[in-house]
Amino acid sequence: MSGLRVLELGGGFSAAYAAKLLGDHGADVVKVEPPEGDPTRRRGPFPGGVADPEKSGAFLALNVNKQGVVLDPATDEGRRELARLVAWADILVHNLARDRAAQLGVDPGTLEAAHPRLVVLSITPFGITGPYRDYRGTELIVANAGGWTNLCPGTHAEPDAPPLKVFGHQCALMAGTAGALVALAAARETRRSGVGEHIDLSEQEYVASVLEGGVPLYTYRNAVLKRFHPRGLIPWRIFEAKDGPIFLVCAEQDQWQRLVEFMGNPEWAQLEVFADMRSRVENQDVVHQFVQEFIADWNAWELYHEAQKQRICFAPITNYAQLAANEHLRARGFFTAVDHPGIGPVEHMTPAVLTTTGRAAISRPSPRLGQHNDEVLGGELPARTPSDSQAQRLPLDGVRVVDLTWVWAGTFCTMNLAHLGAEVIHIESAKRPDLYRRTTLDTSGAESGLNESGMFNQWNQGKLGVAVDLSDPRGIEVVKDLVRVSDVVVQNFATGVLERLGLGYDELREVNPRIILASVSGYGQSGPFRDYMGYGPATSPLTGISAVTGYVDGGPEEVGVSMPDPNAGITAALAIVSALERLEATGAGDHLDVTLFESSAAYGMEAWMEYAFNGSQPERNGNRDPYMAPHGCFPCAGEDAWVAIACAGDDEWRTLAALIEPGLADDPRFESLESRKANEGALEEIVAGWTTDRDRWQVATMLQSSGVAAFPTFTCEDIVDDPHLNARGYIEHLPHPVVGTKAHTGIPWRLARRPNGVRCPAPCLGADTDDTLRNILGYDAARIAALRAADVLT
């Protein structure tokens, strides 16, 4: 990526993180701040708790590998310098509201006319088109609008417990990762065609695209999943060990059998009511009671290591001191010291991808305010080199991917590559079908075919389906033939499986020296825990996120969705596009080692920096925010109806107070942020008393029209039926040959100059086998028939 120029505008987390990831991968990034500095400079955490804009942990974590300048666009000089920087950049990343972007001249119309070769990444809460385009949005608002809080924490049977936001700025960081992926892919294609792009990425849509089974459950079964509904896999919950909490999930029957054996084959486990998953779901309280009795005699970390030796998916609820001491992360080089001027060495989490040459380096600390003004603005800023425009195509058109993934993490990676135009060939077999093909979400017990699963059909859109039996050496040869004519292989088997199949990186490299292999796993291809079982639900507890997520005065919580899976998937997709760039420059392929553990731990940066500075971690604080009040989910009229409200400052509070009760804004308990935080319980009671008899949309639209960020807590039904998401083309209704036309969530970004929308529904099992072998590999009819007769293509 040497020579790629990135300009960052805006403030906060999403754009800064996207630009940081581009900087991690080698781009020359210039961050523009206003004279008062980026808002994250005032957010903290701070060493010793003493506020200092040059020592904010959030700012330092978000802005390594960048240069920083200060501009005031309200001045003539500021506007001239901004115009020079825009002319210099290959990629412009911003999270400016639509009207602010227009004021600065970085709106789509202005930039397309003046800079047709520029790639622009716009990350906003709701996108820049559609009915909600001008709605205010914060992290809390996006988490509710995207449907995540409705599913979180997923562990309490009481509907009265409000929807819960996960700690930190998870939504913004996830959207930033997706944005970096699309921007890098678009810049790669722009280099070929000379045609730039405007990428309109909606945070709401990205969050809605990672809700696991929620949308398929609604669209295929007309059921609406909520945070207090029972789990469909048992055992699954946080248990209490002798010295602390620990998480356990058994996703398949063989894992339950290993757990029973590990527990010493107790008599209760032999009862018929616990024999299969359906019976355990029906009797889950009793199952959990018995399992809790066993776990109570263990220390959490001892139990974790002993059970993992038996391939049982335990994970301790890890605090940040334990994360810092984790021998596996240390062995894999996940932490590195960065020397920040005025602070000294501070340990950071490194970029979450391990390549054959190591991790991307943090080559420069985050900039001090205006540090590079003289260096950047005082010299020549060479403009982009013009080129003749050619026909534009999707960013990854011409890239071929062999997809050896199943379930979610790797599958999410390859689906996003398909969304960007890659030809993705999904390899599978009826002899060992994808777990998601077997996940019908049907609680009636009715039999379903392998092509009817909403889970599979959601996460495999845009792909070709080829049936090959990998247990047959002839099937392995078919895969090698595909690798020979492909660019990328993605796999998320358990560590070591690919090598045992004869498809490890060394073997693939012999077949195709330029191949890029992306291995997505729980713990990675190296390190002392490389063979441990790492499912998504167990990863959030392990990363520290669960330890800082939870209700006020409550215990640690799950995050409601197996979010580490798509976190690793989107991280792997970005790493693949970066590796394609290196391949073009050097001719060398790569092996990309991406873990659920590291990809998700990276999103806990605020809690990590609190530990790195002060040896402590944030307290669990429900939906509250240290810099905003009121800030939470409040009950509304109707069954399980909620609205999220975030007052970002005193002006917003006064607006809300005037709507609630004349004179409330003058109440000394609430006149400043400090006093509101000191009386937050009373404040929340007042707001809840006002919302409780009102319709959630009435509250949200009233507040949005008054300049206060608010939005209903969306369910998956709300997402599928929402007029804004449908107006933006986000909800897809492609006809499937077996299930017919069902709604699926689609692509969370819109392109201005290239095609949008999912190109085809998920494939039926083996639907494209013959065409692929004939048209891509050149197999003749006799050879295909012989393989089929030998039961290899099944």
Side-chain angles (χ1 to χ4, degrees):
M1 286 180 58
S2 176
L4 186 67
R5 306 164 182 171
V6 177
L7 177 65
E8 177 199 328
L9 301 176
F13 286 77
S14 58
Y17 196 62
K20 173 199 176 293
L21 292 172
L22 294 172
D24 290 346
H25 287 274
D28 183 4
V29 181
V30 173
K31 179 184 183 74
V32 176
E33 299 183 69
E36 67 274 16
D38 190 291
T40 55
R41 288 186 180 274
R42 300 182 290 279
R43 187 171 179 90
F46 300 102
V50 179
D52 184 331
E54 298 293 359
K55 298 180 181 180
S56 163
F59 184 88
L60 297 183
L62 285 165
N63 293 289
V64 293
N65 289 336
K66 300 179 186 178
Q67 294 176 288
V69 301
V70 168
L71 290 180
D72 184 357
T75 67
D76 291 342
E77 180 183 3
R79 285 191 292 273
R80 283 194 300 270
E81 293 294 354
L82 179 58
R84 282 210 307 148
L85 285 168
V86 170
W88 163 85
D90 299 301
I91 300 174
L92 167 61
V93 179
H94 74 80
N95 56 2
L96 301 167
R98 192 175 63 93
D99 57 350
R100 181 57 176 160
Q103 291 171 4
L104 295 181
V106 293
D107 56 292
T110 301
L111 289 177
E112 183 174 358
H115 303 282
R117 201 168 180 268
L118 180 64
V119 172
V120 182
L121 170 63
S122 165
I123 308 177
T124 56
F126 298 97
I128 61 172
T129 65
Y132 312 152
R133 64 184 184 180
D134 293 323
Y135 273 20
R136 293 179 178 231
T138 66
E139 177 73 16
L140 175 70
I141 300 305
V142 169
N144 279 270
W148 189 359
T149 58
N150 168 66
L151 301 174
C152 185
T155 51
H156 295 277
E158 306 83 12
D160 290 343
L164 181 65
K165 184 187 85 68
V166 175
F167 170 83
H169 287 76
Q170 306 284 315
C171 301
L173 298 174
M174 293 188 305
T177 308
L181 161 67
V182 185
L184 181 56
R188 181 174 179 271
E189 203 284 324
T190 292
R191 188 168 60 244
R192 180 201 68 85
S193 68
V195 179
E197 187 56 84
H198 191 284
I199 303 157
D200 171 16
L201 193 151
S202 159
E203 290 185 65
Q204 179 198 23
E205 290 172 10
Y206 186 81
V207 174
S209 75
V210 292
L211 297 182
E212 204 166 1
V215 170
L217 184 67
Y218 172 64
T219 59
Y220 281 67
R221 302 297 175 193
N222 201 33
V224 180
L225 185 64
K226 296 195 174 182
R227 65 199 174 281
F228 47 80
H229 288 165
R231 298 291 193 188
L233 301 174
I234 298 298
W236 175 331
R237 56 166 265 197
I238 296 173
F239 295 88
E240 287 298 326
K242 189 187 303 184
D243 60 345
I246 188 168
F247 177 83
L248 165 67
V249 62
C250 290
E252 297 201 67
Q253 182 66 15
D254 64 313
Q255 296 164 25
W256 166 254
Q257 292 166 349
R258 290 199 296 273
L259 174 64
V260 169
E261 185 175 349
F262 181 70
M263 292 189 296
N265 292 299
E267 290 186 11
W268 64 264
Q270 314 309 317
L271 297 174
E272 189 68 26
V273 292
F274 305 136
D276 57 28
M277 188 66 74
R278 185 174 301 280
S279 299
R280 292 194 295 278
V281 169
E282 292 172 353
N283 299 279
Q284 59 186 275
D285 289 346
V286 181
V287 174
H288 285 156
Q289 177 183 338
F290 281 125
V291 173
Q292 173 59 64
E293 291 174 1
F294 171 78
I295 290 174
D297 292 332
W298 287 81
N299 290 324
W301 285 88
E302 179 185 2
L303 174 59
Y304 167 61
H305 291 303
E306 290 302 314
Q308 282 283 359
K309 292 176 185 176
Q310 308 303 319
R311 301 287 294 161
I312 303 168
C313 194
F314 276 96
I317 307 300
T318 303
N319 63 36
Y320 279 85
Q322 293 166 333
L323 190 75
N326 188 283
E327 61 179 301
H328 181 74
L329 296 179
R330 290 286 170 188
R332 287 174 54 83
F334 186 58
F335 303 107
T336 188
V338 178
D339 192 3
H340 290 282
I343 304 176
V346 178
E347 200 161 43
H348 283 240
M349 293 184 285
T350 59
V353 178
L354 190 57
T355 73
T356 51
T357 56
R359 296 183 189 270
I362 297 178
S363 57
R364 57 164 89 225
S366 298
R368 298 186 301 278
L369 187 61
Q371 178 180 348
H372 300 103
N373 271 45
D374 291 344
E375 181 179 340
V376 172
L377 303 179
E380 289 286 330
L381 282 176
R384 269 171 263 108
T385 303
S387 66
D388 295 332
S389 294
Q390 303 177 33
Q392 59 266 40
R393 57 188 187 182
L394 283 171
L396 295 185
D397 190 4
V399 173
R400 180 174 293 140
V401 179
V402 176
D403 181 2
L404 296 175
T405 71
W406 74 330
V407 191
W408 200 14
T411 301
F412 188 76
C413 166
T414 51
M415 181 186 71
N416 278 280
L417 297 177
H419 287 344
L420 288 167
E423 180 184 54
V424 177
I425 302 170
H426 186 64
I427 307 294
E428 48 188 333
S429 171
K431 294 181 180 178
R432 190 170 185 266
D434 191 319
L435 177 60
Y436 272 179
R437 281 205 184 271
R438 294 177 275 137
T439 305
T440 65
L441 305 173
D442 187 354
T443 58
S444 70
E447 292 293 325
S448 296
L450 294 177
N451 295 313
E452 298 174 36
S453 167
M455 292 286 276
F456 183 89
N457 292 342
Q458 173 63 56
W459 307 116
N460 288 278
Q461 298 176 88
K463 303 179 185 180
L464 302 174
V466 172
V468 177
D469 180 8
L470 298 185
S471 68
D472 190 306
R474 291 165 294 186
I476 298 298
E477 289 306 312
V478 172
V479 173
K480 287 183 176 180
D481 284 346
L482 284 169
V483 170
R484 195 169 282 112
V485 294
S486 296
D487 305 286
V488 177
V489 176
V490 184
Q491 65 97 9
N492 65 337
F493 295 122
T495 302
V497 169
L498 201 68
E499 288 76 10
R500 291 195 291 274
L501 289 172
L503 294 172
Y505 182 57
D506 289 341
E507 289 84 1
L508 296 183
R509 199 166 43 172
E510 288 182 9
V511 172
N512 181 352
R514 294 169 57 86
I515 199 68
I516 295 165
L517 171 63
S519 295
V520 183
S521 62
Y523 290 86
Q525 307 302 302
S526 65
F529 305 165
R530 65 188 294 269
D531 294 321
Y532 282 14
M533 181 176 284
Y535 282 133
T539 302
S540 293
L542 197 65
T543 62
I545 299 296
S546 286
V548 290
T549 295
Y551 296 107
V552 177
D553 299 325
E557 297 284 4
E558 297 177 48
V559 302
V561 177
S562 302
M563 207 59 83
D565 283 283
N567 289 350
I570 202 71
T571 298
L574 172 59
I576 287 166
V577 177
S578 180
L580 287 168
E581 288 282 270
R582 293 194 298 275
L583 174 64
E584 190 171 303
T586 67
D590 209 339
H591 187 188
L592 311 173
D593 182 1
V594 181
T595 73
L596 278 65
F597 193 177
E598 294 161 0
S599 297
S600 293
Y603 291 166
M605 61 173 60
E606 293 164 276
W608 170 257
M609 294 304 284
E610 173 70 34
Y611 174 78
F613 281 154
N614 303 315
S616 59
Q617 65 185 37
E619 295 182 355
R620 290 182 289 274
N621 210 17
N623 291 315
R624 293 175 177 176
D625 184 274
Y627 301 98
M628 291 182 267
H631 187 275
C633 296
F634 300 94
C636 291
E639 183 180 354
D640 194 42
W642 301 81
V643 66
I645 300 173
C647 286
D650 292 341
D651 290 343
E652 289 91 338
W653 160 243
R654 284 190 285 269
T655 297
L656 174 59
L659 291 170
I660 295 175
E661 179 185 328
L664 181 60
D666 298 324
D667 189 321
R669 293 177 299 168
F670 311 129
E671 62 184 359
S672 67
L673 174 63
E674 292 74 17
S675 59
R676 291 195 297 279
K677 293 296 294 182
N679 297 281
E680 200 156 15
L683 174 63
E684 290 170 344
E685 286 185 13
I686 291 170
V687 177
W690 178 70
T691 62
T692 192
D693 294 325
R694 288 175 166 79
D695 177 79
R696 58 182 186 154
W697 272 113
Q698 177 194 9
V699 174
T701 54
M702 182 191 309
L703 293 182
Q704 285 284 357
S705 64
S706 301
V708 178
F711 203 85
T713 300
F714 260 18
T715 66
C716 290
E717 178 181 11
D718 293 324
I719 287 166
V720 171
D721 298 340
D722 183 59
H724 174 78
L725 295 175
N726 280 278
R728 283 176 54 81
Y730 173 67
I731 304 299
E732 295 281 358
H733 297 87
L734 296 174
H736 184 279
V738 173
V739 302
T741 301
K742 301 285 188 182
H744 297 91
T745 55
I747 303 175
W749 60 82
R750 308 297 290 172
L751 304 178
R753 304 182 208 172
R754 290 167 177 83
N756 286 299
V758 176
R759 292 179 291 173
C760 61
C764 291
L765 183 61
D768 305 292
T769 303
D770 287 8
D771 286 347
T772 299
L773 270 56
R774 181 174 57 250
N775 299 331
I776 295 177
L777 297 185
Y779 286 13
D780 59 26
R783 186 174 183 183
I784 294 173
L787 288 169
R788 195 169 292 285
D791 210 23
V792 175
L793 306 180
T794 185

